[in-house]
Amino acid sequence: MIANPQFPQIPLPLIGTDALTFDLYCAGDNGLALTELRQAAGGSAVRNIYLWGDAGTGKSHLLHAACAAAADAGRRTALVPLAQCRSLAPTLLDSLEDLDFVCIDDLDAIAGQPAWEQPLFHLFNR
């Protein structure tokens, strides 16, 4: 390919979520989180798992991988990336408890917003 300065390339930050698997996650010190999520995705008795950590540690990767593994196991799943959903209504959270496996990413995106915090609290309790 020959670069043309008149028409510079614009890199697109595309990554397929198919690439976000447990096998491609480098656990490092996060081996316990990886193990627990694998078991939960497969249907273990773990009810709630809360992941936290610095940006870039792979939390979203693990959630995508967990939802994919749960779906592969025949479970009904949902991944809710709250940072991308803020422009939607909080009713998005209604009835998610009817699914087998739910991952909610980017909790910090709705912090301080009662319109989102309250439905999320009720979902957690259901």
Side-chain angles (χ1 to χ4, degrees):
M1 171 182 260
I2 300 172
N4 183 337
Q6 184 179 0
F7 301 105
Q9 289 185 338
I10 301 172
L12 298 176
L14 299 178
I15 182 169
T17 55
D18 293 344
L20 302 176
T21 65
F22 286 135
D23 291 337
L24 295 178
Y25 182 74
C26 297
D29 292 337
N30 298 320
L32 180 59
L34 178 61
T35 299
E36 290 294 322
L37 282 170
R38 278 185 192 266
Q39 291 174 357
S44 76
V46 174
R47 181 163 167 83
N48 298 303
I49 297 173
Y50 182 81
L51 298 177
W52 70 94
D54 294 331
T57 56
K59 299 176 302 290
S60 294
H61 181 133
L62 284 173
L63 295 182
H64 281 275
C67 278
D72 288 347
R75 304 179 75 206
R76 297 172 303 144
T77 69
L79 174 67
V80 181
L82 289 174
Q84 297 175 23
C85 297
R86 288 185 1 192
S87 62
L88 302 174
T91 55
L92 168 76
L93 302 173
D94 292 351
S95 302
L96 287 179
E97 71 275 5
D98 295 335
L99 298 176
D100 301 315
F101 194 79
V102 177
C103 292
I104 300 177
D105 201 3
D106 306 314
L107 285 175
D108 57 317
I110 56 121
Q113 299 179 38
W116 277 94
E117 291 175 337
Q118 290 174 0
L120 184 61
F121 175 76
H122 294 304
L123 170 63
F124 181 81
N125 287 323
R126 289 191 302 268

